[in-house]
Amino acid sequence: MSAVNAPSPGGWREWLMSDRPQSRRQAALGRAYGGWRTFSRNRLAMLGLAIVIALLLVALFANQLAPYSPYIGDLRTTRLLPPSAAHWFGTDDQGRDILSRIIHGSRITLFVVVLVAILAAPIGLVVGTVAGYSGGLIDAALMRITDIFLAFPRLILALAFVAALGPGIENAVIAIAITSWPPYARIARAETLTIRQADYIAAVQLMGASPWRIVLRHIMPLCVSSVIVRVTLDMAGIILTAAGLGFLGLGAQPPTPEWGAMIANGRLYVLDQWWVAAAPGAAIFLVSLAFNLLGDGLRDALDPKGVK
Amino acid sequence: MQNSGIRKPGCLLGAAAFAMLMAGSALAATPKDTLVVVWAFDDTITMDPAESFEISAGEFMGNSYDRLLRYDVNDPSKLLPDLAKSWTVSPDGKTFTFELREGAKFASGNPVTSEDVAFSLQRAVTLDKTPAFILTQFGLTKDNVKDKVKATGPLTVTLETDKSYAPSFVLNCMTANVAAILDKKLVMSKEQNGDLGYAWLKTNYAGSGPLKIREWRANEILAMERNDNYYGEKSKLARVIYRHVKEAATQRLLLEKGDADIARNLTPQDLDALKANKDIKETGTPKGTVYYISLNQKNPNLAKPEVREAMKWLVDYDAIGDTLIKNIGIVHQNFLPVGLLGASTEKPFKLDVDKAKGLLAKAGLPNGFKVTMDVRTVQPVQGIAEAVQQTAKRAGIDIEIIPGDGKQTLTKYRARTHDMYIGQWGADYWDPHTNADTFARNPDNSDDAKSKPLAWRNAWAIPELTKKADAAALERDTEKRKGMYTEMQAEFRQTSPFVLIYQMNEVAAYRANVENLKIGPTSDATYMFKVTKQ
């Protein structure tokens, strides 16, 4: 890494903000820093980031944080207790501590969100860039498939997939991933169409790069930021769909402390024991809101025209 | 001319009076001679006793149609005369002769004759709708029913069966709705294209019961009126109105405000909350529905007798009874629900993890095993499944719950591809054979068997018990028959792959000024005509 000219201490900022970066690395870091500065000026986005980081920490240290087992309750002595010092969020109809269940449930929520993002975003990205770059018959075929998937209401299609694959959190993830890639393909295709006529693409083509190389190395990186923004904004929707499947009894299997399933369980007691449904509902609300705020901030930060 | 009506002073006055009435009724209670019941009766599909087999319709039929006999609501194993004042059984046990009550009249004014009785039974068999099996199981068919059920005198009817069944079995089946007595003259006057009045009777009434059905609007209202032609003690109430209200919370509010006299679908939580209200009382009766967990004998672990027994020691019956099914169920460990002839109330099992562990060790599974359970995602079934999952885990049995809706789980269960299943069974008619037939009979355990009772669904091969169940259905001495069922239940408790958990308890909440309300053990025995209001 000879390209890194050791800057004077305290000169990091200048080095990052330099108008004339002397290496790719410096340029990339500089852009990231600029993005971070835009992002950090947005207080709501920072709040979102804080909540998401808190969610990560809670999921990581669930075993240490949870005061009770999320699976074991006592029907006789601890059933449907209101919130108290011993049980901050009360207990549910099986006598289990709701706080502990929410803490352990954060793992499932994260698991779903991350897995859907890992599964759906690349599919959308590849389909969109390939369609946009190749055009013609391939474009038409890929986009019509996308249209077909877009034509179904998402939750209904996910329901059908889960019904076919069988209930369980993994199948719910697959179902949600299958139903959530089309918007990413659309975005990636739109971006690709604007990039594909660019001079540098023509230059790469002249140098004899294969179409795959062009798509993977020269087009896709430019589409990634808009897809990331879209995925982050979609995370709230993913959480809600997963919770919806759980609520309908097709997501997590009991006694997994999935938040949607916990609400479904509390529905029966909503008039007299409101806390059973309230706590997981608040958790879903908070995390969805956090992802939305984070996505908003990211959109501003990653917008190439917006970076100062 | 849209506003012309309102300009006329008379109409205006009328509207004002109506508005005042409405305002008044919101505050005052329901009229003294009218009973308002709020109930979810969206399952009702017809008013024809030959076809109706739904829970709600059963109650409407029970109040409006007489039959030859009824069972005693206070002791359902006893029979009481209804339109038949007496009955005899021939020495060979195949011919039943019913003597009808004199002077009984239908609501239409037509006299009740043996012709009507024979017609009603023949019609049910000929139409062959869902509940017809209750009659056809005695060998009645479309072709022979005219010879087997005959009016032999103006007030004498005979019924011939193909075998000599237990008389109590045959007579119990005569209390069912499908054996309700119709007004032949009236029904046949409405016949279209030889349908035996089927189209007309879907929404109309031709009976002789204490209340007559005035109007039924699906998912809205069912109105019944006092039948002044009824042979017995006439109803104190002039009318009974059932209002279809689906939500339990709405029912609770209507009852609390006095807009309804009786609420029928309250949740255990609502019932608990209403206990503090001194204007509201509650009454409950054990129904003929039992809830159980079954163990598929195709699973090699579950097929071990020790494992079958161990599962029965791994359910915390008492805690479940006091919490999850409080107000809606009673812990019960026999396949015959309380109220049926010979039903046992023995409860030998309780939560005993050590005993279960010992049994598992004996079965060669000291560390337990993994197994799946198909569960419908409705309460209280799901709650019970989760509670059992917890207690079974303490003995090392790892139950994976597979949630699904009713259709999914039932399809799997019927194809017997499940490991464990939690579900319920409701008595089809008021005789112990209805449950023995499904829990304790499995004439053919092969995959393509013709009849698929619950024992078949769990691949439980029981040639000996099947013989005992058959013998009990034919035993003519009622006391002896009772003993046979007691014996079968004892064996069933020990060896069966069914963990019986509880019997359903139906609870209604009512205003304190309502008296003599008693929920019947079957839906057709909740008699609103016996209710009075203060």
Side-chain angles (χ1 to χ4, degrees), chain A residues 4 7 12 26-27 37-38 72 90 107 118 128 134 142 154 160 176 185 191-193 209 211 219 252 272 285:
Chain A
V4 181
W12 279 106
Q26 189 183 357
R37 272 169 53 104
T38 322
I72 297 170
R107 288 186 169 177
I118 289 176
S134 45
L142 286 175
R154 196 158 140 195
I176 297 172
E191 292 269 322
T192 310
L193 287 179
I219 292 181
D272 300 309
F285 160 74

Side-chain angles (χ1 to χ4, degrees), chain B residues 61-135:
Chain B
M61 299 296 121
N63 280 295
S64 59
Y65 281 93
D66 285 327
R67 49 237 45 213
L68 290 170
L69 327 144
R70 289 183 191 256
Y71 64 76
D72 185 349
V73 182
N74 298 313
D75 177 5
S77 55
K78 276 197 198 122
L79 290 164
L80 298 175
D82 195 11
L83 281 181
K85 69 177 182 201
S86 65
W87 52 90
T88 51
V89 189
S90 67
D92 69 352
K94 285 187 180 173
T95 309
F96 293 75
T97 310
F98 300 92
E99 253 344 292
L100 298 187
R101 198 177 283 280
E102 285 138 32
K105 272 186 195 161
F106 286 104
S108 64
N110 295 330
V112 179
T113 67
S114 55
E115 278 295 313
D116 297 295
V117 176
F119 165 75
S120 305
L121 297 181
Q122 289 165 1
R123 181 177 178 273
V125 171
T126 313
L127 287 177
D128 201 19
K129 300 292 174 191
T130 321
F133 75 93
I134 296 173
L135 298 175

